[in-house]
Amino acid sequence: MQIHWLAILAAAVAGFVVGGLWYGPLFGKAWMQARGISPEEAKAGVNMPLLFGSTFVLNLVAAFMLDHLYNTYDTTVGFHHSLVIAGIIGVGFITTSIGVNYLFSRLPRSLFLIDAGYWIVMYLVMGAIFGLLS
């Protein structure tokens, strides 16, 4: 099994960037409104370096697992199949899992759409990076 360290690192960084854009300028205000928190409350009592550092480590783990999954195929996974597999993970596993949690938690549909959209886009971006760099 070959570990694609450059692709893993690039995918983790890209996932971090997607999250910053998604929960910042793109949907940050809508996310806070759906969560029922103000910008001040969102920042209060949070250790930002720990939060961002932990997020990056979790993105590294996700990218490593994605690389491992791609390595289970007998052939090289090309760009198209890399996107398809990443899309299946984002839509078929992540979105459905958080969807069940959101239904029972009675969280707003808008919050689900923002969070699920992030995971789908994040995995598609990671998949594209693996398709290009592996």
Side-chain angles (χ1 to χ4, degrees):
M1 180 175 94
Q2 181 180 2
I3 299 173
H4 302 95
W5 292 110
L6 178 61
I8 291 169
L9 183 60
V13 169
F16 193 77
V17 170
V18 168
L21 293 171
W22 198 265
Y23 290 104
L26 294 177
F27 299 105
K29 289 180 183 176
W31 179 83
M32 284 188 277
Q33 182 180 8
R35 276 279 182 202
I37 58 175
S38 69
E40 295 77 26
E41 290 171 324
K43 295 176 185 174
V46 176
N47 181 338
M48 289 299 197
L50 179 61
L51 178 66
F52 289 142
S54 299
T55 299
F56 184 72
V57 168
L58 292 170
N59 281 345
L60 274 172
V61 171
F64 183 82
M65 291 293 114
L66 197 54
D67 185 56
H68 180 72
L69 176 65
Y70 292 145
N71 278 313
T72 63
Y73 288 84
D74 290 334
T75 183
T76 302
V77 177
F79 185 79
H80 172 76
H81 286 105
S82 181
L83 282 178
V84 169
I85 293 165
I88 288 169
I89 292 169
V91 174
F93 294 105
I94 305 296
T95 298
T96 56
S97 297
I98 66 170
V100 169
N101 288 348
Y102 280 45
L103 285 170
F104 280 95
S105 297
R106 297 181 182 149
L107 294 169
R109 180 178 300 158
S110 59
L111 183 62
F112 168 75
L113 292 172
I114 292 167
D115 289 340
Y118 160 70
W119 287 109
I120 294 167
V121 170
M122 196 271 293
Y123 271 100
L124 286 173
V125 168
M126 283 188 169
I129 289 169
F130 277 102
L132 292 171
L133 297 180
S134 297

